Amino acid sequence: MVGLRSALDRRRHVARTGRERAVRGAQAQPASADQPGKIPARAVIDKCRRCDLWRRATQGVAGAGPPRADVMLIGEQPGDQEDRAGLPFVGPSGKMLDRLMDEAGLDRSVCFVTNAVKHFKWESRGKRRLHRRPNVTEIEACFPWLEQEIAALQPRVIILLGATAARSLLHRTAAIESLRGRALVHASGARIFATYHPSALLRADEGAQRLRAALVHDLKRAVRALEDLGR
């Protein structure tokens, strides 16, 4: 029935949901379906207007890694240093991730690293720009980019780092504790492993050793799964 309405009526109809409100007034831009088989470049993501996060971000931050990586790691969003550099996981969380991956025997140079949300969401605290968690509308608005990355890469293993990454890919809200250890499979056939975001370890006071062990354990599970798939 919606398809029979005039263009004006259709715009009024879709504007009722939060996601369409984020799209209203968007400038023309390539959508994920417009570039099948291609990893979205930073210059393309930087033009994204599906939500308002671009207004305060320095630039869009695309994923980075080999174009046919077997392993894809998905974080939450760029941080302050990532926003300035235009690269994912180059700040404190990225350095922590490097150490965890080394301990788990996972070579970052052969992995593709990205985020569920491609623009930095922040609030001022003096001279500092502090991270703010993306909301559902922002996560969903950015999902086509993640979907395009997966379609282009065709990874065999996907590692979700934190609840925002899980919310984006699984399209539901769930605690990481409830997802860890579960046998999850993407529609593409890729094995999915959910674990904590490395920034959680940076914030941890008590229980840091337990959290670190859990992260390394989950990354090792992903490594073993990749090895099994190669047999």
Side-chain angles (χ1 to χ4, degrees):
M1 179 176 179
V2 174
L4 299 178
R5 300 182 183 190
S6 67
L8 178 60
D9 287 341
R10 186 180 300 110
R11 285 196 294 270
R12 288 173 177 168
H13 175 74
V14 298
R16 293 173 186 168
T17 67
R19 183 171 181 178
E20 277 75 21
R21 281 197 301 271
V23 177
R24 269 191 309 164
Q27 298 179 7
Q29 61 175 341
S32 62
D34 294 338
Q35 295 184 319
K38 292 185 179 180
I39 297 172
R42 183 175 69 192
V44 177
I45 289 176
D46 196 36
K47 297 176 183 177
C48 185
R49 301 295 184 263
R50 293 191 183 104
C51 74
D52 287 336
L53 293 186
W54 65 275
R55 295 182 182 279
R56 302 189 70 202
T58 303
Q59 58 195 318
V61 179
R68 285 291 182 182
D70 283 333
V71 179
M72 181 179 190
L73 295 99
I74 304 172
E76 180 188 74
Q77 67 161 343
D80 179 76
Q81 293 186 34
E82 289 81 4
D83 173 74
R84 298 180 192 277
L87 295 169
F89 282 95
V90 295
S93 292
K95 293 179 174 62
M96 175 59 70
L97 179 61
D98 287 343
R99 293 194 288 271
L100 295 168
M101 291 176 71
D102 285 343
E103 191 172 340
L106 186 57
D107 185 355
R108 176 165 169 170
S109 68
V110 299
C111 299
F112 188 88
V113 182
T114 191
N115 284 295
V117 174
K118 310 302 187 187
H119 283 101
F120 180 33
K121 183 176 182 178
W122 57 277
E123 63 183 3
S124 297
R125 190 73 57 85
K127 294 183 178 181
R128 300 174 62 196
R129 299 192 305 169
L130 298 184
H131 157 278
R132 288 184 60 198
R133 179 174 293 182
N135 60 40
V136 171
T137 298
E138 292 156 349
I139 294 170
E140 291 183 351
C142 227
F143 179 71
W145 299 121
L146 184 61
E147 190 175 43
Q148 183 177 335
E149 288 172 330
I150 294 173
L153 285 165
Q154 299 179 21
R156 306 175 80 185
V157 169
I158 298 174
I159 302 173
L160 304 177
L161 301 171
T164 296
R167 172 63 181 79
S168 177
L169 196 65
L170 304 179
H171 301 289
R172 59 189 175 89
T173 301
I176 291 298
E177 290 82 356
S178 69
L179 297 174
R180 289 184 64 233
R182 292 184 57 184
L184 302 171
V185 181
H186 187 259
S188 66
R191 297 279 303 278
I192 299 174
F193 296 87
T195 190
Y196 305 101
H197 194 282
S199 63
L201 189 53
L202 296 175
R203 298 191 302 267
D205 293 323
E206 298 180 1
Q209 289 185 340
R210 178 194 61 80
L211 183 58
R212 184 187 186 96
L215 270 158
V216 172
H217 171 77
D218 294 338
L219 293 175
K220 285 183 176 180
R221 287 184 62 239
V223 171
R224 288 194 297 270
L226 185 62
E227 292 172 347
D228 290 343
L229 289 169
R231 290 173 184 167

